């Protein structure tokens, strides 16, 4: 198949991060492309393979050869995480808007038309809320708690932070590209810059095939990144707690000294003191940990290392030169 002569930039750029999704990719191709063809707009799909260890990369290459006019594939040479994969896609967006989508078909591709309509209506950021979540009860409860906490701490209003089916207009994408942050949560970063954000309800399905890439540990890490990356309120809370405790401890000390002189030495209450000490030690350790989160972030930012490494990009020749249909650039 020859790359089409139509070199006008697409309107919609769809970005799909892919990590070990060989089981679901064929079904994704079967639903995503018809849904996009039905849009009646020029589009491109940018798949970013996040260092999959299965056959995902081959499947993506096959799909590229099937639809080279509208498909681009970025291949990472390692696993840099879902959000870095999306950033790599953002840096290549040619459309007037970008739409992010999970590969596992939990976000129905048929909903893309409604996101496009919302951007057309003047919203620079379109978030989504899953109509009925098809996740385990544990994931549902955990994410509700996290949402409440995040909203208090960071002022980022996102009814459903877990749903990655979202639309961003081009100007917003360019702003995100200029940020260059290392550990970031893209919807939250976009929200902080958005002028006219909105949210729409979308359907949610069970993961079509394969397994979730997020263990409990990775979810906790992600939420730490989300909170510490967007707010220093936890540190401020901490100094407040520290101040109150220091005042309390000071008062206790005065009381003990006065009692020592009024009543003489006493050993009763030693265990209460121990309990108090352990409590304080616990809080101190938590505080160190929290400081560490921020120091760690600072360290990552000052290193200024490249955020990811690309081993190859599959895309049709963008220049109107009489060249082979496909080109592999390193
Ligand atoms: N993903 C990725 N790199 C990773 C983990 C996940 O690119 O290190 C992709 C994955 O292929 C999928 C999306 O991010 O397209 C969301 O992952 P998953 O469905 O496993 O997350 P969940 O829906 O369980 O939150
Ligand atoms: Mg999923």
């Amino acid at each position: 198949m020859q790359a089409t002569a139509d070199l006008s930039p697409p309107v919609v750029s769809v970005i799909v991060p892919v990590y070990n999704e060989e089981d679901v990719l064929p079904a994704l191709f079967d639903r995503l492309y018809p849904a996009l063809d039905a849009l009646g707009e020029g589009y491109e799909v940018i798949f970013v393979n996040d260092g999959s260890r299965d056959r995902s990369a081959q499947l993506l290459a096959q799909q590229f050869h099937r639809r080279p006019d509208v498909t681009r594939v970025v291949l990472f040479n390692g696993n840099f995480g879902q959000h870095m994969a999306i950033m790599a896609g953002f840096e290549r967006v040619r459309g007037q808007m970008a739409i992010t989508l999970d590969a596992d078909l939990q976000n129905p591709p048929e909903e893309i038309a409604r996101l496009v309509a919302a951007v057309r209506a003047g919203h620079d950021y379109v978030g989504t809320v899953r109509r009925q979540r098809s996740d385990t009860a544990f994931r549902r409860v955990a994410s509700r708690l996290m949402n409440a906490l995040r909203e208090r701490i960071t002022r980022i209003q996102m009814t459903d932070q877990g749903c990655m089916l979202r639309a961003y207009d081009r100007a917003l994408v360019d702003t995100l590209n200029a940020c260059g942050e290392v550990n970031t949560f893209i919807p939250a970063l976009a929200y902080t810059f958005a002028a006219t954000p909105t949210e729409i309800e979308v359907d949610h399905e069970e993961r079509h095939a394969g397994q979730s890439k997020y263990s409990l540990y990775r979810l906790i890490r992600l939420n730490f990144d989300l909170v510490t990356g967007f707010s220093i309120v936890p540190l401020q809370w901490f100094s407040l707690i520290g101040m109150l405790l220091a005042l309390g401890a000071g008062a206790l000390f005065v009381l003990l000294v006065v009692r020592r002189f009024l009543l003489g030495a006493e050993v009763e209450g030693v265990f209460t003191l121990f309990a108090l000490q352990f409590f304080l030690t616990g809080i101190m350790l938590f505080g160190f940990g929290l400081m560490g989160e921020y120091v760690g972030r600072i360290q990552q930012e000052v290193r200024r290392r490249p955020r990811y490494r690309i081993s190859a990009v599959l895309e049709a020749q963008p220049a109107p030169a009489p060249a082979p249909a496909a080109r592999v650039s390193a």
Side-chain angles (χ1 to χ4, degrees):
M1 199 170 160
Q2 208 61 39
T4 55
D6 178 19
L7 293 164
S8 57
V11 176
V12 181
S13 297
V14 178
I15 295 149
V16 189
V18 177
Y19 180 52
N20 294 345
E21 302 283 10
E22 62 177 0
D23 295 332
V24 74
L25 282 178
L28 175 70
F29 300 151
D30 286 349
R31 273 178 65 185
L32 180 60
Y33 284 82
L36 291 172
D37 289 329
L39 274 183
E41 309 261 22
Y43 70 87
E44 61 175 358
V45 187
I46 307 175
F47 292 102
V48 185
N49 176 43
D50 188 14
S52 302
R53 283 184 298 270
D54 63 0
R55 293 183 55 253
S56 297
Q58 284 99 304
L59 293 177
L60 292 176
Q62 280 169 18
Q63 180 62 18
F64 168 68
H65 288 296
R66 236 173 272 138
R67 297 292 303 270
D69 51 332
V70 290
T71 309
R72 301 161 73 191
V73 182
V74 177
L75 299 165
F76 279 2
N77 74 341
N79 181 233
F80 296 94
Q82 177 185 359
H83 292 265
M84 283 305 107
I86 294 174
M87 284 312 301
F90 275 180
E91 287 181 356
R92 290 183 164 67
V93 163
R94 290 178 185 148
Q96 294 159 19
M97 63 183 88
I99 292 183
T100 55
L101 182 79
D102 281 355
D104 58 5
L105 282 175
Q106 281 190 293
N107 321 131
E110 294 76 21
E111 301 275 14
I112 290 176
R114 295 180 49 225
L115 290 166
V116 172
V119 176
R120 280 271 150 81
H123 296 288
D124 55 356
Y125 166 86
V126 186
T128 51
V129 184
R130 289 170 277 194
R131 203 167 282 133
Q132 83 291 11
R133 275 187 74 168
S134 315
D135 266 325
T136 59
F138 171 73
R139 281 288 287 269
R140 280 203 306 270
V141 171
S143 67
R144 194 163 324 138
L145 287 177
M146 230 5 258
N147 274 352
L149 185 65
R150 189 214 52 244
E151 226 154 89
R152 281 199 75 86
I153 296 181
T154 64
R155 309 247 162 266
I156 294 174
Q157 307 244 324
M158 223 186 285
T159 316
D160 190 354
Q161 74 177 46
C163 188
M164 285 307 286
L165 177 62
R166 283 159 202 275
Y168 311 87
D169 87 359
R170 178 57 183 271
L172 194 53
V173 170
D174 292 341
T175 308
L176 297 182
N177 286 340
C179 285
E181 270 181 54
V182 179
N183 270 333
T184 199
F185 189 80
I186 287 163
L189 190 60
Y191 184 92
T192 56
F193 294 118
T196 49
T198 187
E199 278 186 337
I200 62 175
E201 274 206 345
V202 293
D203 268 331
H204 188 238
E205 298 170 14
E206 291 201 26
R207 190 170 234 290
H208 188 80
Q211 281 190 341
S212 172
K213 310 298 178 290
Y214 285 97
S215 60
L216 179 60
Y217 173 74
R218 284 189 76 169
L219 277 179
I220 293 174
R221 286 286 342 144
L222 189 76
N223 281 307
F224 256 109
D225 284 341
L226 182 53
V227 169
T228 57
F230 290 90
S231 161
I232 56 166
V233 168
L235 278 181
Q236 294 165 342
W237 281 357
F238 214 80
S239 28
L240 212 66
I241 296 174
M243 196 179 73
L244 292 177
L245 283 175
L247 282 178
L252 192 67
F253 178 72
V254 172
L255 185 76
L256 288 178
V257 169
V258 170
R259 282 179 65 97
R260 171 68 181 78
F261 286 112
L262 290 184
L263 307 173
E266 49 186 356
V267 284
E268 297 99 318
V270 160
F271 293 112
T272 325
L273 271 180
F274 261 118
L276 211 62
Q277 180 59 50
F278 285 140
F279 174 66
L280 292 181
T281 314
I283 292 192
M284 268 169 56
L285 284 179
F286 177 70
F288 280 136
L290 194 65
M291 289 272 284
E293 290 284 332
Y294 286 98
V295 174
R297 290 188 76 83
I298 296 170
Q299 193 244 20
Q300 275 179 328
E301 296 296 342
V302 298
R303 273 193 318 216
R304 287 265 146 238
R305 288 194 189 151
R307 294 179 290 170
Y308 45 78
R309 183 139 188 263
I310 292 173
S311 55
V313 179
L314 312 177
E315 57 189 358
Q317 189 76 274
R327 168 182 74 119
V328 176
S329 62

